[in-house]
Amino acid sequence: MWSDNQKRIFCRLAFLLLCAVPTGVTVYRILHPQTADQWEQRIQAQLGVRTHIDSVETPGPYETILRGVVFFDAEQKQKILIATELRIRFGEVNQIWIDHPVRLDSNGLQYILDQANQQLVRSHSVQPRWVVMVNSAVVESSVVMDDHFGTQLPRELNLKNLVIDIESNASDTIARTDFQLVDPNAPVPAGNPNVISCSIQRERVPTVPGVSTPEQWVTLNTGSDALPCWLVSEWLPEIIQNLGTEVAFSGGIQIETGSPNLHGQAEGHFFKVDMQQVTGKQLANNDSTRWSSIELEQFKFAGEDVQHIAFLSTPGSRTPPVRIEKTLEVSETFDIGLDIRNAALQQYRQATENIIRRRVIYPARETRLVVQPF
């Protein structure tokens, strides 16, 4: 049995932990709200991106509103993201709500994702879970321009219902993004809308300590939609350089990085392949042979080994699809497997600042790539 003194001490500790401390924290948050400068420094420390914030409002102890948020590039010259308002709610799961449209360009998108991968996904410390919800966003192309009544304006991609979920635990960190594409000219579809999903999962501790680096898995599933390849022009410039700026991809991709190897596989279609870009021959836009598609029945790469089963076809043509061999016959300089692989390896070396030996273990039997929904 406890003595009266022990009971009193226990009751005082319980009061301190359950009442006094939460009340003190609440009062401190109310009396000491973070300023715009402090939030700018906090975001830069977490994401590695310079930020400007016009004003900060604190409606309650666990809610903050940031207004006039602008992200800048590495040289701090160009605006890469503009958001009218961010509403942050702290709790067991920290949430960021963005109801106003967000605008950014494709280079800025890739820069922010690179920084988030370096600062958050690759972090060695366990971080609280963050969920970012964006009602709508517009991504401007940094490489494709369209003529609007004599004025060249960037090509735009409209997104809605964008959700970014970053969860970290003792074993790994998982960052997942889901969103939908918006076609302003298309009728409202019936049934469930298509959701594009991509994710990054990274081990916290290497599988073989002292020998390998933590494994990282990247997956993409576009569902029934096609994503324009200019979205990844900074990561994989070879795609639009060899297939043209109009090319888009629909399908699934899985890439695994880590020591000692980088390997992956993909399956899907490249649409609107510009044969003028592939062949180097002058072709008019209305030429029936100008625009083709590539079907990737199977694509795997590992180290110096690239394997693919791919077919080139021209929509509306009576000519049957042509098997793409190791090098496309119409252009000796173009190799669909090698170009994409080299671009991926080059970006990976830049990101890790290391040249890593690569290997792969292929499945025992050939299978079609299926990216399971999360």
Side-chain angles (χ1 to χ4, degrees):
M1 293 293 295
W2 287 359
S3 66
D4 291 340
N5 287 336
Q6 289 175 324
K7 291 178 180 179
R8 281 193 292 269
I9 292 174
F10 177 78
C11 290
R12 289 168 182 169
L13 289 175
F15 172 78
L16 181 65
L17 294 175
L18 299 178
C19 299
V21 172
T23 301
V25 171
T26 301
V27 172
Y28 179 83
R29 284 180 175 271
I30 294 174
L31 298 179
H32 299 83
Q34 287 190 317
T35 64
D37 290 339
Q38 290 173 320
W39 270 103
E40 291 172 3
Q41 295 172 8
R42 182 176 180 180
I43 293 174
Q44 185 167 358
Q46 291 290 327
L47 291 180
V49 180
R50 179 175 173 263
T51 309
H52 171 77
I53 300 172
D54 286 340
S55 63
V56 177
E57 180 183 345
T58 308
Y62 301 104
E63 184 173 356
T64 298
I65 300 175
L66 308 181
R67 292 192 173 91
V69 180
V70 180
F71 285 3
F72 293 88
D73 61 7
E75 289 74 26
Q76 302 180 0
K77 295 179 181 179
Q78 299 294 327
K79 298 178 181 180
I80 58 177
L81 181 146
I82 300 175
T84 304
E85 180 180 293
L86 307 182
R87 185 179 295 268
I88 306 174
R89 296 172 182 170
F90 299 95
E92 189 173 334
V93 177
N94 298 322
Q95 299 179 342
I96 299 178
W97 296 79
I98 307 178
D99 292 330
H100 299 272
V102 175
R103 179 171 290 272
L104 68 165
D105 64 27
S106 56
N107 285 347
L109 172 64
Q110 295 169 68
Y111 175 73
I112 293 174
L113 293 178
D114 281 337
Q115 293 301 311
N117 185 32
Q118 294 291 334
Q119 301 289 331
L120 296 178
V121 179
R122 294 175 179 267
S123 174
H124 293 289
S125 60
V126 177
Q127 303 288 335
R129 183 182 177 188
W130 284 91
V131 177
V132 182
M133 288 159 283
V134 183
N135 185 45
S136 63
V138 177
V139 183
E140 295 181 349
S141 174
S142 301
V143 294
V144 182
M145 308 292 288
D146 290 327
D147 182 79
H148 291 266
F149 305 102
T151 302
Q152 294 293 317
L153 297 176
R155 177 81 54 84
E156 292 184 350
L157 183 69
N158 294 274
L159 316 178
K160 69 176 182 177
N161 300 330
L162 173 65
V163 178
I164 304 172
D165 191 339
I166 303 176
E167 186 172 6
S168 177
N169 53 53
S171 60
D172 56 20
T173 298
I174 302 175
R176 173 185 166 184
T177 301
D178 296 336
F179 61 90
Q180 300 167 25
L181 295 184
V182 179
D183 184 355
N185 301 319
V188 178
N192 296 327
N194 180 65
V195 177
I196 297 174
S197 298
C198 54
S199 67
I200 300 176
Q201 180 178 356
R202 182 176 174 82
E203 288 181 322
R204 192 166 302 284
V205 179
T207 304
V208 183
V211 177
S212 62
T213 60
E215 293 289 335
Q216 179 167 297
W217 299 268
V218 180
T219 65
L220 169 68
N221 184 7
T222 70
S224 58
D225 283 321
L227 286 175
C229 292
W230 54 254
L231 276 174
V232 294
S233 59
E234 191 72 16
W235 292 324
L236 300 173
E238 306 284 350
I239 295 181
I240 62 175
Q241 287 175 7
N242 289 289
L243 303 182
T245 57
E246 300 294 321
V247 66
F249 176 77
S250 175
I253 299 173
Q254 292 178 336
I255 300 175
E256 181 177 347
T257 68
S259 180
N261 306 311
L262 168 68
H263 56 276
Q265 55 183 340
E267 182 182 278
H269 289 81
F270 284 103
F271 297 98
K272 208 84 183 277
V273 176
D274 189 348
M275 295 307 294
Q276 175 174 284
Q277 189 76 16
V278 174
T279 63
K281 299 178 181 178
Q282 189 67 30
L283 299 171
N285 285 336
N286 58 358
D287 192 323
S288 60
T289 63
R290 171 82 183 258
W291 307 105
S292 298
S293 64
I294 293 177
E295 178 186 359
L296 288 180
E297 286 194 359
Q298 184 184 80
F299 173 79
K300 297 189 293 188
F301 67 90
E304 300 299 324
D305 185 20
V306 177
Q307 302 177 19
H308 62 72
I309 301 175
F311 296 88
L312 178 71
S313 61
T314 302
S317 173
R318 296 182 179 180
T319 304
V322 178
R323 172 76 179 266
I324 301 176
E325 302 300 335
K326 185 65 178 177
T327 300
L328 196 62
E329 292 182 357
V330 293
S331 174
E332 295 181 357
T333 62
F334 174 60
D335 182 326
I336 182 173
L338 199 57
D339 279 336
I340 296 176
R341 169 196 166 274
N342 286 341
L345 296 188
Q346 180 182 9
Q347 179 63 26
Y348 181 65
R349 292 192 185 104
Q350 293 174 354
T352 60
E353 298 181 354
N354 288 301
I355 298 178
I356 300 175
R357 293 171 39 236
R358 296 168 174 83
R359 63 174 172 77
V360 70
I361 300 176
Y362 286 118
R365 59 188 179 86
E366 291 186 355
T367 58
R368 295 176 68 88
L369 173 68
V370 178
V371 180
Q372 297 295 335
F374 294 89

